Amino acid sequence: MTAQAARRRLGVVGWPVAHSRSPAMHNAALAHVGLTAWRYQLLPIPPTVIEQTLCALPDAGFAGVNVTIPHKQAALAAATEHTERAAAIGAANTLVYREDGAIVADNTDAPALTETLAVLPSPVASPRSALVLGAGGSARAALWALRDAGVADLAIWNRTAERAAALAAEFDALALTEAEAARPVELLVNCTAVELHGADPFAELPVTAAQLARCGALADYAYGPGETRLVAVARRAGVPVVDGLELLVAQGALAFERFTGRAAPRAVMRAAARP
Ligand code: NDP
Protein backbone atom coordinates (compact mmCIF):
# COMPACT_ATOMS: atom_id res chain seq x y z
CA MET A 1 0.00 0.00 0.00
CA THR A 2 1.40 3.42 -0.91
CA ALA A 3 1.47 6.35 1.49
CA GLN A 4 -1.05 8.13 -0.79
CA ALA A 5 -3.51 5.24 -0.66
CA ALA A 6 -3.35 5.34 3.13
CA ARG A 7 -4.41 8.99 3.31
CA ARG A 8 -7.75 8.61 4.99
CA ARG A 9 -7.26 10.77 8.03
CA LEU A 10 -8.81 14.19 8.55
CA GLY A 11 -8.91 16.47 11.57
CA VAL A 12 -9.34 19.88 13.09
CA VAL A 13 -6.22 21.67 14.31
CA GLY A 14 -6.66 24.21 17.09
CA TRP A 15 -5.52 25.39 20.55
CA PRO A 16 -7.87 24.93 22.35
CA VAL A 17 -9.97 22.60 20.20
CA ALA A 18 -11.77 20.31 22.65
CA HIS A 19 -15.01 22.30 22.13
CA SER A 20 -15.13 21.54 18.39
CA ARG A 21 -18.17 19.76 16.92
CA SER A 22 -16.24 19.06 13.70
CA PRO A 23 -15.30 15.42 14.51
CA ALA A 24 -18.93 14.45 15.18
CA MET A 25 -20.09 16.29 12.07
CA HIS A 26 -17.43 14.98 9.67
CA ASN A 27 -17.41 11.39 10.98
CA ALA A 28 -21.18 11.24 10.45
CA ALA A 29 -20.71 12.58 6.91
CA LEU A 30 -17.90 10.10 6.13
CA ALA A 31 -20.03 7.17 7.30
CA HIS A 32 -23.04 8.47 5.35
CA VAL A 33 -21.16 8.61 2.02
CA GLY A 34 -19.58 5.18 2.63
CA LEU A 35 -16.00 6.30 3.40
CA THR A 36 -15.92 3.89 6.33
CA ALA A 37 -12.11 3.60 6.53
CA TRP A 38 -11.75 7.38 6.95
CA ARG A 39 -11.51 9.05 10.37
CA TYR A 40 -11.74 12.69 11.48
CA GLN A 41 -10.14 13.61 14.81
CA LEU A 42 -9.31 16.48 17.17
CA LEU A 43 -5.74 17.74 16.77
CA PRO A 44 -4.79 19.97 19.72
CA ILE A 45 -1.54 21.63 18.55
CA PRO A 46 0.13 24.54 20.41
CA PRO A 47 1.31 27.58 18.42
CA THR A 48 5.00 26.81 19.04
CA VAL A 49 4.93 23.75 16.75
CA ILE A 50 2.09 24.56 14.39
CA GLU A 51 3.89 25.03 11.07
CA GLN A 52 6.05 21.91 11.30
CA THR A 53 3.03 19.86 12.45
CA LEU A 54 0.85 21.07 9.56
CA CYS A 55 3.62 20.08 7.13
CA ALA A 56 4.14 16.65 8.78
CA LEU A 57 0.49 15.55 8.78
CA PRO A 58 0.41 14.18 5.18
CA ASP A 59 3.10 11.63 6.09
CA ALA A 60 0.93 10.54 9.00
CA GLY A 61 -1.89 9.70 6.56
CA PHE A 62 -3.83 12.98 6.56
CA ALA A 63 -5.72 13.98 3.41
CA GLY A 64 -6.59 17.38 4.85
CA VAL A 65 -7.38 19.38 7.98
CA ASN A 66 -9.63 22.14 9.15
CA VAL A 67 -7.85 24.85 11.06
CA THR A 68 -9.32 26.85 13.89
CA ILE A 69 -8.36 29.35 16.58
CA PRO A 70 -5.54 30.61 16.68
CA HIS A 71 -3.81 28.97 13.70
CA LYS A 72 -5.53 30.29 10.56
CA GLN A 73 -2.76 32.67 9.58
CA ALA A 74 -0.11 30.02 10.24
CA ALA A 75 -2.08 27.61 8.03
CA LEU A 76 -1.97 30.04 5.14
CA ALA A 77 1.78 30.47 5.67
CA ALA A 78 2.35 26.68 5.71
CA ALA A 79 0.54 26.17 2.37
CA THR A 80 2.35 25.78 -0.93
CA GLU A 81 -0.73 26.93 -2.88
CA HIS A 82 -3.80 28.90 -1.93
CA THR A 83 -7.09 30.06 -3.38
CA GLU A 84 -7.40 33.75 -4.24
CA ARG A 85 -9.99 33.98 -1.50
CA ALA A 86 -7.69 32.63 1.22
CA ALA A 87 -4.92 34.99 0.13
CA ALA A 88 -7.26 38.01 0.12
CA ILE A 89 -8.62 37.09 3.55
CA GLY A 90 -5.13 36.45 4.89
CA ALA A 91 -6.23 33.32 6.77
CA ALA A 92 -7.01 29.69 5.90
CA ASN A 93 -9.39 27.30 7.68
CA THR A 94 -8.99 24.39 5.24
CA LEU A 95 -5.80 22.66 4.10
CA VAL A 96 -5.94 19.92 1.48
CA TYR A 97 -2.89 17.63 1.24
CA ARG A 98 -2.76 16.83 -2.45
CA GLU A 99 -1.18 13.62 -3.73
CA ASP A 100 1.58 15.52 -5.56
CA GLY A 101 2.77 16.95 -2.22
CA ALA A 102 1.08 20.35 -2.56
CA ILE A 103 -0.58 21.84 0.52
CA VAL A 104 -3.58 23.84 -0.73
CA ALA A 105 -5.14 26.47 1.52
CA ASP A 106 -8.70 27.73 1.26
CA ASN A 107 -11.04 29.71 3.48
CA THR A 108 -14.56 28.32 3.72
CA ASP A 109 -15.58 30.54 6.68
CA ALA A 110 -16.28 33.33 4.17
CA PRO A 111 -18.65 31.50 1.77
CA ALA A 112 -20.29 29.95 4.85
CA LEU A 113 -21.44 33.42 5.92
CA THR A 114 -22.68 34.27 2.42
CA GLU A 115 -24.60 30.98 2.16
CA THR A 116 -26.20 31.16 5.57
CA LEU A 117 -27.21 34.83 5.28
CA ALA A 118 -28.88 34.06 1.96
CA VAL A 119 -31.51 31.89 3.64
CA LEU A 120 -32.59 34.59 6.10
CA PRO A 121 -35.88 36.30 5.35
CA SER A 122 -35.75 39.23 2.94
CA PRO A 123 -34.60 42.04 3.31
CA VAL A 124 -32.07 41.02 6.00
CA ALA A 125 -30.62 38.40 3.63
CA SER A 126 -28.97 41.18 1.66
CA PRO A 127 -28.00 43.93 4.10
CA ARG A 128 -26.52 47.24 2.94
CA SER A 129 -24.56 47.75 6.14
CA ALA A 130 -22.94 45.57 8.78
CA LEU A 131 -20.90 45.81 11.96
CA VAL A 132 -18.26 43.13 12.58
CA LEU A 133 -17.08 42.60 16.17
CA GLY A 134 -13.54 41.17 16.43
CA ALA A 135 -10.36 41.34 14.38
CA GLY A 136 -9.12 37.76 14.23
CA GLY A 137 -9.39 35.04 11.59
CA SER A 138 -13.18 34.86 11.43
CA ALA A 139 -13.48 38.66 11.30
CA ARG A 140 -11.18 38.71 8.27
CA ALA A 141 -13.36 36.08 6.57
CA ALA A 142 -16.58 37.93 7.46
CA LEU A 143 -15.30 41.27 6.18
CA TRP A 144 -14.16 39.70 2.92
CA ALA A 145 -17.49 37.87 2.46
CA LEU A 146 -19.58 40.96 3.19
CA ARG A 147 -17.48 43.10 0.86
CA ASP A 148 -17.71 40.36 -1.81
CA ALA A 149 -21.51 40.25 -1.36
CA GLY A 150 -21.70 43.98 -2.04
CA VAL A 151 -22.41 45.26 1.47
CA ALA A 152 -21.72 48.95 0.99
CA ASP A 153 -21.14 50.14 4.58
CA LEU A 154 -18.84 47.99 6.66
CA ALA A 155 -17.82 48.86 10.20
CA ILE A 156 -15.60 47.04 12.65
CA TRP A 157 -15.03 47.19 16.39
CA ASN A 158 -12.36 45.25 18.29
CA ARG A 159 -11.21 45.23 21.93
CA THR A 160 -7.66 46.00 20.72
CA ALA A 161 -8.35 49.12 18.66
CA GLU A 162 -5.09 48.95 16.64
CA ARG A 163 -6.12 45.61 15.18
CA ALA A 164 -9.52 47.02 14.17
CA ALA A 165 -7.83 49.99 12.49
CA ALA A 166 -5.47 47.72 10.53
CA LEU A 167 -8.34 45.52 9.34
CA ALA A 168 -10.50 48.52 8.50
CA ALA A 169 -7.76 49.84 6.23
CA GLU A 170 -7.35 46.45 4.56
CA PHE A 171 -11.07 45.90 3.88
CA ASP A 172 -12.15 49.51 3.30
CA ALA A 173 -14.26 49.49 6.48
CA LEU A 174 -14.75 52.04 9.25
CA ALA A 175 -13.13 51.31 12.63
CA LEU A 176 -15.50 52.36 15.42
CA THR A 177 -14.90 53.32 19.02
CA GLU A 178 -16.87 51.50 21.71
CA ALA A 179 -19.34 54.42 21.93
CA GLU A 180 -19.80 54.52 18.13
CA ALA A 181 -20.34 50.76 17.93
CA ALA A 182 -22.99 50.71 20.67
CA ARG A 183 -26.05 51.17 18.42
CA PRO A 184 -28.49 48.92 16.56
CA VAL A 185 -27.26 47.92 13.08
CA GLU A 186 -28.70 46.19 10.04
CA LEU A 187 -26.46 43.13 10.47
CA LEU A 188 -24.32 42.42 13.53
CA VAL A 189 -21.60 39.77 13.04
CA ASN A 190 -19.91 38.48 16.19
CA CYS A 191 -16.40 37.25 15.41
CA THR A 192 -15.02 37.43 18.94
CA ALA A 193 -13.98 34.54 21.14
CA VAL A 194 -15.65 36.09 24.23
CA GLU A 195 -18.11 33.26 24.83
CA LEU A 196 -15.54 30.59 23.91
CA HIS A 197 -13.57 31.84 26.92
CA GLY A 198 -16.70 31.72 29.10
CA ALA A 199 -16.98 35.52 29.39
CA ASP A 200 -20.20 37.58 29.19
CA PRO A 201 -20.61 39.22 25.75
CA PHE A 202 -22.86 41.93 27.22
CA ALA A 203 -20.03 42.90 29.58
CA GLU A 204 -17.13 42.61 27.11
CA LEU A 205 -18.65 43.86 23.85
CA PRO A 206 -20.31 47.19 22.93
CA VAL A 207 -23.75 45.51 22.75
CA THR A 208 -26.71 45.66 25.11
CA ALA A 209 -29.71 43.36 24.98
CA ALA A 210 -31.89 46.35 24.04
CA GLN A 211 -29.62 47.28 21.09
CA LEU A 212 -29.42 43.71 19.90
CA ALA A 213 -33.22 43.46 19.92
CA ARG A 214 -33.31 46.37 17.47
CA CYS A 215 -30.73 44.93 15.03
CA GLY A 216 -31.91 43.63 11.63
CA ALA A 217 -30.10 40.30 12.00
CA LEU A 218 -27.32 38.60 13.99
CA ALA A 219 -24.66 36.22 12.69
CA ASP A 220 -22.62 34.68 15.53
CA TYR A 221 -19.54 32.66 14.59
CA ALA A 222 -19.15 31.51 18.21
CA TYR A 223 -20.88 28.35 19.31
CA GLY A 224 -20.98 26.21 22.41
CA PRO A 225 -22.90 23.31 23.90
CA GLY A 226 -26.10 25.38 23.86
CA GLU A 227 -27.12 28.72 22.40
CA THR A 228 -24.65 31.55 22.93
CA ARG A 229 -25.98 34.40 25.05
CA LEU A 230 -26.04 36.71 22.02
CA VAL A 231 -28.07 34.19 20.02
CA ALA A 232 -30.47 33.50 22.90
CA VAL A 233 -31.21 37.21 23.43
CA ALA A 234 -31.58 37.87 19.69
CA ARG A 235 -33.96 34.93 19.16
CA ARG A 236 -36.07 35.93 22.17
CA ALA A 237 -36.44 39.37 20.60
CA GLY A 238 -37.44 37.91 17.23
CA VAL A 239 -34.23 38.99 15.47
CA PRO A 240 -33.30 36.64 12.56
CA VAL A 241 -30.17 34.68 13.50
CA VAL A 242 -27.42 32.70 11.81
CA ASP A 243 -25.82 30.80 14.67
CA GLY A 244 -22.31 29.37 14.99
CA LEU A 245 -23.41 25.79 14.37
CA GLU A 246 -25.10 26.76 11.10
CA LEU A 247 -21.88 28.51 10.06
CA LEU A 248 -19.90 25.46 11.20
CA VAL A 249 -22.01 23.15 9.03
CA ALA A 250 -21.70 25.44 6.00
CA GLN A 251 -17.90 25.83 6.23
CA GLY A 252 -17.53 22.13 7.09
CA ALA A 253 -19.60 20.98 4.13
CA LEU A 254 -17.46 23.00 1.72
CA ALA A 255 -14.29 21.60 3.33
CA PHE A 256 -15.65 18.02 3.22
CA GLU A 257 -16.16 18.34 -0.54
CA ARG A 258 -12.57 19.50 -0.99
CA PHE A 259 -11.18 16.70 1.22
CA THR A 260 -13.14 13.80 -0.28
CA GLY A 261 -14.43 14.90 -3.70
CA ARG A 262 -17.92 13.79 -2.55
CA ALA A 263 -21.03 15.91 -2.17
CA ALA A 264 -21.44 16.82 1.49
CA PRO A 265 -24.55 15.39 3.19
CA ARG A 266 -25.51 18.68 4.83
CA ALA A 267 -28.59 17.41 6.67
CA VAL A 268 -26.53 14.59 8.21
CA MET A 269 -23.80 17.05 9.19
CA ARG A 270 -26.33 19.46 10.70
CA ALA A 271 -27.93 16.72 12.80
CA ALA A 272 -24.51 15.50 14.03
CA ALA A 273 -23.21 19.00 14.78
CA ARG A 274 -26.09 19.92 17.07
CA PRO A 275 -25.39 18.31 20.44
P1 NDP B 1 -9.14 34.81 16.89
O1 NDP B 1 -8.32 34.31 18.03
O2 NDP B 1 -8.49 34.97 15.56
O3 NDP B 1 -9.77 36.23 17.32
C1 NDP B 1 -10.40 36.36 18.56
C2 NDP B 1 -11.08 37.72 18.63
O4 NDP B 1 -11.85 37.75 19.84
C3 NDP B 1 -10.14 38.92 18.69
O5 NDP B 1 -10.69 39.99 17.96
C4 NDP B 1 -10.11 39.24 20.19
O6 NDP B 1 -9.84 40.60 20.48
C5 NDP B 1 -11.54 38.93 20.57
N1 NDP B 1 -11.70 38.65 22.00
C6 NDP B 1 -11.26 37.57 22.69
N2 NDP B 1 -11.62 37.67 23.98
C7 NDP B 1 -12.28 38.86 24.10
C8 NDP B 1 -12.89 39.53 25.19
N3 NDP B 1 -12.90 39.01 26.43
N4 NDP B 1 -13.49 40.71 24.95
C9 NDP B 1 -13.51 41.25 23.71
N5 NDP B 1 -12.94 40.66 22.64
C10 NDP B 1 -12.34 39.48 22.84
O7 NDP B 1 -10.43 33.87 16.78
P2 NDP B 1 -11.33 33.48 15.51
O8 NDP B 1 -11.66 34.72 14.76
O9 NDP B 1 -10.73 32.35 14.78
O10 NDP B 1 -12.63 32.89 16.26
C11 NDP B 1 -13.53 33.75 16.96
C12 NDP B 1 -14.72 32.92 17.45
O11 NDP B 1 -15.43 32.40 16.32
C13 NDP B 1 -14.33 31.70 18.29
O12 NDP B 1 -15.30 31.51 19.28
C14 NDP B 1 -14.34 30.55 17.28
O13 NDP B 1 -14.57 29.30 17.89
C15 NDP B 1 -15.51 30.98 16.41
N6 NDP B 1 -15.45 30.45 15.03
C16 NDP B 1 -16.49 29.66 14.61
C17 NDP B 1 -16.57 29.24 13.31
C18 NDP B 1 -17.75 28.47 12.87
O14 NDP B 1 -17.68 27.78 11.86
N7 NDP B 1 -18.87 28.59 13.56
C19 NDP B 1 -15.50 29.51 12.33
C20 NDP B 1 -14.47 30.39 12.88
C21 NDP B 1 -14.45 30.80 14.18
P3 NDP B 1 -8.32 41.15 20.66
O15 NDP B 1 -7.81 41.42 19.27
O16 NDP B 1 -8.50 42.37 21.48
O17 NDP B 1 -7.55 40.05 21.37
Side-chain angles (χ1 to χ4, degrees):
M1 185 187 287
T2 67
Q4 303 305 342
R7 280 197 197 167
R8 295 179 190 131
R9 299 178 73 186
L10 299 168
V12 54
V13 177
W15 189 259
V17 75
H19 67 283
S20 176
R21 298 295 302 159
S22 290
M25 180 173 78
H26 282 275
N27 283 320
L30 290 168
H32 185 81
V33 302
L35 294 175
T36 51
W38 289 55
R39 291 287 177 276
Y40 188 109
Q41 67 183 89
L42 288 177
L43 292 164
I45 312 289
T48 44
V49 292
I50 186 61
E51 285 208 24
Q52 57 268 52
T53 306
L54 289 175
C55 295
L57 287 171
D59 286 344
F62 280 81
V65 286
N66 289 121
V67 182
T68 188
I69 191 170
H71 297 318
K72 290 181 185 177
Q73 276 155 300
L76 184 63
T80 59
E81 292 178 25
H82 45 69
T83 60
E84 272 181 41
R85 176 170 63 205
I89 292 168
N93 77 329
T94 303
L95 292 180
V96 174
Y97 297 122
R98 229 171 43 203
E99 296 196 357
D100 63 2
I103 303 177
V104 186
D106 195 3
N107 190 311
T108 65
D109 288 331
L113 181 61
T114 318
E115 264 184 32
T116 49
L117 283 179
V119 299
L120 289 182
S122 180
V124 287
S126 41
R128 287 150 302 162
S129 62
L131 169 61
V132 172
L133 304 176
S138 57
R140 301 186 74 88
L143 287 165
W144 185 90
L146 294 167
R147 192 49 87 210
D148 189 54
V151 178
D153 295 325
L154 277 182
I156 171 171
W157 173 89
N158 189 51
R159 173 179 62 179
T160 307
E162 301 75 40
R163 294 186 75 197
L167 227 57
E170 210 176 312
F171 290 93
D172 192 20
L174 194 62
L176 303 183
T177 63
E178 193 162 337
E180 289 166 338
R183 60 189 166 85
V185 290
E186 209 174 334
L187 171 65
L188 182 67
V189 187
N190 177 42
C191 296
T192 72
V194 171
E195 295 206 54
L196 181 67
H197 300 317
D200 178 2
F202 294 107
E204 310 280 320
L205 302 176
V207 185
T208 65
Q211 285 156 11
L212 181 53
R214 290 170 51 218
C215 286
L218 168 72
D220 190 355
Y221 272 93
Y223 68 91
E227 284 179 322
T228 63
R229 294 187 66 179
L230 288 177
V231 165
V233 167
R235 282 198 177 126
R236 257 203 322 271
V239 174
V241 166
V242 168
D243 71 13
L245 281 173
E246 213 38 60
L247 284 160
L248 181 81
V249 171
Q251 65 76 31
L254 294 168
F256 182 89
E257 289 170 354
R258 283 157 185 64
F259 294 149
T260 65
R262 307 287 186 95
R266 285 165 191 253
V268 170
M269 294 175 84
R270 186 172 295 110
R274 295 209 179 264

